[in-house]
């Protein structure tokens, strides 16, 4: 049972962080020189990734993280509290990005810039979450 929940947690984290890396390193540079389709493409890709990447995967990451906390770690420790704190900041930024800035980015340069920087901040914090998860798994 431990292995299954840890596996699911790692796959979900891979989807979440990998999706953001793919968007920022592949999709964004490709669309940068295509202003005629850039905004609409980001809106469409963003909607799809938001449903699976933000709402579904973050919810399931929370659930599998709690289960792993008890199955593998035996309960909460200070390092897990830190990870949970960063996780909730990521959830807040994700919702702000997806439900506010991202939706208005098609019609507003200001919101496009907000969406870009919220996405970058979210990627950095999500990479921090992966690092904290590795440290927790190694017993820190």
């Amino acid at each position: 049972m431990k292995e299954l929940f840890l596996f699911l947690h790692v796959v979900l984290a891979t989807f979440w962080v990998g999706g953001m890396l793919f968007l920022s390193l592949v999709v964004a540079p490709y669309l940068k020189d295509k202003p005629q389709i850039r905004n609409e493409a980001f809106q469409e890709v963003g909607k799809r990734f938001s449903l699976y990447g933000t709402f579904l995967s973050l919810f399931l990451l929370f659930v599998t993280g709690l289960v792993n906390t008890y199955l593998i770690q035996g309960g909460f420790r200070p390092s897990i509290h830190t990870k949970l704190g960063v996780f909730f900041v990521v959830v807040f930024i994700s919702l702000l990005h997806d439900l506010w800035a991202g939706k208005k980015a098609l019609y507003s340069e200001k919101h496009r810039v907000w969406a870009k920087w919220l996405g970058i901040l979210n990627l950095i914090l999500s990479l921090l979450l992966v690092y904290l998860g590795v440290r927790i798994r190694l017993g820190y």
Side-chain angles (χ1 to χ4, degrees):
M1 187 64 100
K2 290 181 192 180
E3 294 85 4
L4 175 64
F5 278 98
L6 183 58
F7 171 77
L8 287 173
H9 196 70
V10 170
V11 168
L12 290 163
T14 301
F15 179 70
W16 170 243
V17 176
M20 287 191 293
L21 286 169
F22 180 76
L23 287 171
S24 62
L25 297 175
V26 178
V27 175
Y30 172 75
L31 292 174
K32 185 176 185 177
D33 299 329
K34 295 170 181 49
Q36 66 279 11
I37 65 166
R38 181 183 64 217
N39 291 339
E40 291 81 10
F42 268 122
Q43 286 291 315
E44 186 60 34
V45 171
K47 281 183 207 171
R48 290 173 190 254
F49 187 69
S50 179
L51 173 63
Y52 301 111
T54 301
F55 297 110
L56 186 60
S57 72
L58 286 180
F59 172 74
L60 292 174
L61 277 165
F62 180 70
V63 171
T64 58
L66 288 178
V67 171
N68 286 328
T69 295
Y70 287 100
L71 287 180
I72 297 171
Q73 303 301 325
F76 284 92
R77 298 191 326 242
S79 57
I80 295 172
H81 287 254
T82 301
K83 187 175 179 191
L84 269 174
V86 175
F87 176 80
F88 287 123
V89 171
V90 164
V91 169
F92 176 76
I93 292 171
S94 297
L95 293 173
L96 193 61
H97 176 276
D98 292 2
L99 301 177
W100 175 69
K103 284 191 173 197
K104 295 182 178 191
L106 185 59
Y107 308 106
S108 166
E109 179 65 21
K110 176 182 88 169
H111 289 93
R112 189 185 68 75
V113 171
W114 268 102
K116 174 184 174 181
W117 286 106
L118 287 170
I120 290 169
L121 178 59
N122 227 9
L123 174 59
I124 292 167
L125 290 174
S126 295
L127 289 168
L128 174 62
L129 285 172
V130 172
Y131 173 75
L132 291 172
V134 169
R135 287 184 52 88
I136 289 167
R137 188 63 186 105
L138 292 175
Y140 295 108

